[in-house]
Amino acid sequence: AQKVTQAQTEISVVEKEDVTLDCVYETRDTTYYLFWYKQPPSGELVFLIRRNSFDEQNEISGRYSWNFQKSTSSFNFTITASQVVDSAVYFCAGARGGNKLTFGTGTQLKVEL
Amino acid sequence: EPEVTQTPSHQVTQMGQEVILRCVPISNHLYFYWYRQILGQKVEFLVSFYNNEISEKSEIFDDQFSVERPDGSNFTLKIRSTKLEDSAMYFCASSEVEDRDGYTFGSGTRLTVV
């Protein structure tokens, strides 16, 4: 069975601050996939990133970056220079390809002016 | 960009009534899923569907639930006799076998049972 832990329930930052959202994914599988989704107040799930378990290269996309460390089972997500529009619930999820996603409990990010 | 389409966006139903939630997955995707999110909680897996049959289901997906792919494009979730605790956002998703960009979710159907 897989377990996704997002220990941070809620984070509040002031605009332009950097913020890191933590995720720990526990599984016995050697091959798996990790995801981050954003859920804005409107409720839809917006795909942000997918990583393979065998690819530990960090990834940067604009103000977003992801750090995957297999040794610690962590897949952390950093937003640089946060903006009010980044306010949302962020979910980390994992899967064995082609199978169901297991979601974490989400982190509510509030970015204030 | 291809989308997963869900209808209706919001449905209100009386307890005990049957509801059918509809989804049109991305056309070349082979795996289909339903997930549920009770307000303020995490997203939970209900069922996966592949090759015209259920491939996996969770404990939530009891005899009151059923899924169907009645034609080549639609994927439906039926709740036979709704309960108050079925009130939630229901998300449909689809994926390719060798998925590159992640599971694609629809925008959800908010089901309210009164």
Side-chain angles (χ1 to χ4, degrees), chain B residues 81-95:
Chain B
S81 178
T82 51
K83 307 171 194 170
L84 293 176
E85 53 264 37
D86 293 328
S87 295
M89 180 77 95
Y90 289 81
F91 291 103
C92 174
S94 67
S95 68

Side-chain angles (χ1 to χ4, degrees), chain A residues 32 51-59 66-75:
Chain A
Y32 51 88
R51 302 295 289 179
N52 304 325
S53 56
F54 44 87
D55 182 359
E56 291 194 69
Q57 277 191 330
N58 292 337
E59 183 160 338
W66 292 269
N67 180 294
F68 171 50
Q69 293 189 339
K70 197 167 185 176
S71 60
T72 58
S73 302
S74 67
F75 184 42

Side-chain angles (χ1 to χ4, degrees), chain A residues 37 39 43 47 50 98-99 101, chain B residues 33 35 37 91 99 101 103:
Chain A
Y37 285 88
Q39 187 174 45
F47 167 77
R50 169 190 186 267
N99 288 315
L101 281 170
Chain B
Y33 311 83
Y35 289 81
Q37 185 184 30
F91 291 103
D99 185 74
D101 297 320
Y103 300 70

Side-chain angles (χ1 to χ4, degrees), chain B residues 16 20 22-23 34 46-47 63 68 71 76 82 86-87 89 91 101 105 111:
Chain B
I20 297 177
R22 302 182 190 280
C23 171
W34 283 101
L46 289 179
V47 65
D63 292 343
E68 193 177 35
D71 52 43
T76 61
T82 51
D86 293 328
S87 295
M89 180 77 95
F91 291 103
D101 297 320
F105 282 83
L111 176 66

